[in-house]
Every structure is written in structure tokens, then in C-alpha cells.
Amino acid sequence: MSVTRYRRFLKLCEEWPRDESKKGRDLGTFLRQRVASAFREGENTQIADLEKCDQMYESLARINSNVYKEKFPRAKDTSFTGVTVEECRMLLSTGSMQQMDEAKKGLWKTLMGRFSSKPEDGLPEKPEK
């Protein structure tokens, strides 16, 4: 019954949270796109592998309902690095990731300037000794 499976996935998509700080990398958005792709004909979609479809739904539903978080509670709300959940969320936000990419580009340009045989435009030449 594709109708029932389709509706179950739609309900799961409605319940799945979106993280606006991770534009383009959010799992909730990715899930919605995959469901739309898998059920292109909506309730009329013919599912080739019903068992695989049901397994996928059950796995996602367990993640969404925090089954494993409750089954295996954490002693602390930090990782082995000592970073809290909120700090981790902030570091992984799209804005922070873009800042890190820019910093990498700057570092790469600096390293290329130091180690290349000819200086790149806009970079200071190495001082002669």
C-alpha cells in the first residue's frame, strides 16, 4: 500500500526538525528532498522494494523519536573535547563553516606565496637574506 507508506513518510517529514543554521546541509531538508524524489507520484507511486522502504522508514522514525538517546543516555552533555551541544551547534552553523573556509583560503594563499617559485599577485615577496 503506497498510500499508507507515503502518508507515513509525509508525517515523518512534518515532525522532523529543520536546523536553519545549516542551510544547504540540514538533514531535515535533505530528508524532505529524498521523500519527494522517492514518491514522485505521491500516493500513486509504485514502490519496487516494500521491505527496504519499510526498513528505511522505521530507521528514520527511531532516530526522530530519540530511541537511541533514551536507550543509551549520556553521562555528560559534552563530547570528549569538552565542547557543549550549543557550542558544537554554533561551530557547525553555515556561517561559521563559511568563515573557516575563508580562513583556509587565506592560509592557502599565504603558504603558496611562501613556497612558490614566483610570487603570486598581491602577495609580498619573500625578503632576501
Side-chain angles (χ1 to χ4, degrees), residues 98-111:
Q98 288 172 340
Q99 287 175 346
M100 285 188 267
D101 285 344
E102 290 301 316
K104 284 182 202 172
K105 288 177 189 174
L107 177 62
W108 178 252
K109 196 169 186 177
T110 301
L111 291 174

Side-chain angles (χ1 to χ4, degrees), residues 35-103:
V35 168
S37 174
F39 290 93
R40 289 183 185 182
E41 297 175 31
E43 294 178 348
N44 298 323
T45 302
Q46 297 298 313
I47 300 170
D49 189 342
L50 298 176
E51 186 177 333
K52 185 176 178 182
C53 180
D54 291 342
Q55 286 175 345
M56 180 65 69
Y57 173 81
E58 293 301 327
S59 294
L60 291 168
R62 282 191 301 271
I63 292 170
N64 190 46
S65 63
N66 288 320
V67 166
Y68 300 107
K69 182 180 180 182
E70 293 171 15
K71 188 173 182 179
F72 304 104
R74 297 178 64 141
K76 297 180 181 179
D77 284 338
T78 61
S79 66
F80 71 95
T81 62
V83 176
T84 66
V85 173
E86 195 53 44
E87 290 168 333
C88 188
R89 184 173 286 127
M90 183 188 73
L91 288 170
L92 294 175
S93 71
T94 301
S96 292
M97 297 296 281
Q98 288 172 340
Q99 287 175 346
M100 285 188 267
D101 285 344
E102 290 301 316

Side-chain angles (χ1 to χ4, degrees), residues 12-20 26-29 32 64:
L12 182 64
C13 286
E14 289 173 8
E15 294 172 357
W16 200 284
R18 286 189 194 192
D19 188 343
E20 295 300 324
D26 177 51
L27 184 58
T29 302
R32 287 166 179 79
N64 190 46

